[in-house]
Amino acid sequence: MSRFFSEKLERLVPYTPGEQPKDMNYIKLNTNESPFPPSPVAVELANRETLNYQLYSDPECTPLVEYASEYFNVQRDEILFTNGSDEILNFAFMAFCDKDHPAYFADITYGFYRVFAEINCVPYEMIPLRKDFTVNVEDYVNKKGVIFIANPNAPTGIALPLSDIERIIVSNPQSVVVVDEAYVDFGADSSVSLVNKYDNLLVTQTFSKSRSMAGARLGFGISNKEIIRDLNTVKYSTNPYNVNRVTMAAGLGALKDDDYMRSNCESIVKTRERVKGVLSDMGFEMTPSVTNFLFVKHKKIGGELIYRELKDKGILVRHFNTDPLKDYNRITVGTDKEMDALIDAIGSILEEENENN
């Protein structure tokens, strides 16, 4: 770092995104992107909007907000669109956390929570998961700060039922509870239905996964109008034009083409369940994922070895080289063809290891 870097950030460890090597054409199963292209309706509307690039985007995202409010059955002032769900999560740290209102989140969860806490100089507590990677709901009862729950969680893929989410919300009436639903469309129940029941709930989602728009950067939050107003205060104090015109148009098209998204999610879930069975037969253990990825470890072979061998064979998966995750790999569910290639490659690795031993 330079000699000008602020002392308050000198110990900041930035978030590490999934690797994007360019040395060869990889089967990319490491960043939980959709294996399907965006909706044709989204592409058509986005292409039209490129003709208006010379104009600023609508800071209120009016057409998108109008359609999304009907889609999610909320009022227009109860939804806010952002540059990916990362942005609205950061807004929540900025708006609701301070020295008197620390952040609480799991020790094994989305890595950006810790980064957002540190870059905003917010005190935080990381709450350990159980040994089976499940959340102990009682650990989140009666906290004196802001709670962040990824549901389903990442990288484990495990979801809490709505009854557990509601228990956390009810037990923290003086605290904001943020439920990050990046993977909710692949088999979990959304907490959006609870927004009008509790005034301390903020639900965030993204278009990156189920709607095939990771490269467009579009996320949103749903809450009561007072919390959305708070978040808008932060937005308009940082970047009013945070969602560009093309992304906004693509997002509208993606919502309008709901059948396309649902069909893709069904395909991903079907492939996920098939691959779970095959990997289990090959000696893998895994968490009960309800996402578009699997979190797996082999009973005999280390996770790092499998990760490196797969990379040598042109397949990228995500490896976390820390305890207690180092025996695991997170594998994005790709197309059936991609997953068959993964299975074949793993089979070769297991054969090689058996021969060497």
Side-chain angles (χ1 to χ4, degrees):
M1 65 185 68
S2 78
R3 59 190 174 90
F4 306 106
F5 198 56
S6 173
E7 290 184 5
K8 69 181 181 180
L9 298 180
E10 64 183 3
R11 295 183 180 179
L12 180 66
V13 179
Y15 175 76
T16 302
E19 61 184 319
Q20 308 268 6
K22 304 294 192 297
D23 57 314
M24 61 181 291
N25 291 323
Y26 289 92
I27 293 176
K28 202 165 174 294
L29 305 177
N30 66 326
T31 49
N32 299 340
E33 297 151 317
S34 174
F36 302 108
S39 153
V41 179
V43 172
E44 180 183 357
L45 294 185
N47 285 338
R48 291 182 194 171
E49 201 57 39
T50 59
L51 299 176
N52 296 314
Y53 257 149
Q54 78 279 13
L55 303 174
Y56 281 114
S57 58
D58 174 9
E60 296 182 1
C61 301
T62 304
L64 183 54
V65 165
E66 289 178 350
Y67 194 91
S69 64
E70 295 182 8
Y71 182 95
F72 291 103
N73 193 29
V74 296
Q75 299 300 310
R76 296 178 187 178
D77 55 4
E78 294 176 334
I79 187 167
L80 171 63
F81 282 91
T82 54
N83 192 311
S85 60
D86 290 337
E87 185 174 52
I88 199 159
L89 289 168
N90 191 28
F91 285 174
F93 275 90
M94 296 169 71
F96 306 120
C97 299
D98 54 36
K99 63 182 180 60
D100 299 317
H101 302 86
Y104 296 92
F105 45 86
D107 62 336
I108 299 172
T109 190
Y110 186 34
F112 241 135
Y113 300 158
R114 177 187 55 79
V115 177
F116 287 147
E118 292 182 354
I119 201 167
N120 289 299
C121 300
V122 170
Y124 62 94
E125 178 183 334
M126 297 191 296
I127 301 173
L129 297 180
R130 295 190 181 105
K131 289 184 178 180
D132 63 356
F133 297 127
T134 58
V135 169
N136 182 355
V137 174
E138 296 306 311
D139 289 341
Y140 294 84
V141 170
N142 297 324
K143 291 297 184 184
K144 305 299 181 183
V146 182
I147 296 169
F148 293 83
I149 297 281
N151 196 46
N153 197 15
T156 67
I158 302 173
L160 288 172
L162 276 186
S163 58
D164 284 348
I165 294 293
E166 195 162 10
R167 166 78 170 130
I168 295 171
I169 298 168
V170 170
S171 70
N172 293 279
Q174 302 305 315
S175 301
V176 175
V177 177
V178 182
V179 182
D180 176 0
E181 296 185 342
Y183 300 98
V184 73
D185 292 321
F186 300 102
D189 294 322
S190 176
S191 300
V192 169
S193 61
L194 303 176
V195 163
N196 290 322
K197 190 175 181 180
Y198 301 103
D199 68 355
N200 61 328
L201 171 63
L202 168 62
V203 181
T204 67
Q205 291 188 20
T206 178
F207 280 57
S208 294
K209 316 302 181 183
S210 60
R211 292 185 170 84
S212 304
M213 286 178 52
R217 312 309 303 133
L218 183 64
F220 62 95
I222 293 178
S223 188
N224 63 77
K225 63 182 181 180
E226 287 81 13
I227 283 181
I228 295 299
R229 186 182 298 120
D230 295 340
L231 295 169
N232 262 313
T233 297
V234 175
K235 168 192 165 178
Y236 280 92
S237 300
T238 52
N239 181 12
Y241 307 105
N242 61 331
V243 180
N244 72 72
R245 306 185 68 91
V246 174
T247 290
M248 202 182 304
L252 178 60
L255 285 181
K256 288 184 174 182
D257 200 0
D258 194 55
D259 289 344
Y260 179 82
M261 184 271 284
R262 299 295 170 189
S263 176
N264 287 345
C265 287
E266 289 174 5
S267 295
I268 289 169
V269 169
K270 183 178 179 180
T271 301
R272 180 188 74 204
E273 296 306 302
R274 176 179 71 86
V275 174
K276 282 171 64 174
V278 175
L279 292 181
S280 179
D281 291 341
M282 299 174 78
F284 284 87
E285 298 175 350
M286 61 204 76
T287 57
S289 174
V290 290
T291 63
N292 68 336
F293 61 83
L294 296 170
F295 193 56
V296 308
K297 74 171 182 178
H298 196 267
K299 296 176 183 178
K300 297 181 179 179
I301 304 175
E304 184 173 4
L305 188 150
I306 292 174
Y307 154 74
R308 293 191 179 282
E309 291 291 326
L310 284 174
K311 185 175 180 180
D312 288 343
K313 296 178 184 297
I315 300 174
L316 294 176
V317 298
R318 188 74 187 264
H319 181 69
F320 301 90
N321 194 25
T322 57
D323 289 325
L325 305 180
K326 63 183 181 181
D327 289 332
Y328 285 82
N329 286 300
R330 192 192 68 191
I331 303 172
T332 304
V333 178
T335 63
D336 281 317
K337 183 178 179 180
E338 289 172 331
M339 301 312 285
D340 287 341
L342 170 80
I343 291 167
D344 289 343
I346 290 176
S348 296
I349 294 169
L350 297 181
E351 287 181 11
E352 293 168 5
E353 288 301 306
N354 286 332
E355 292 173 0
N356 293 335
N357 295 324

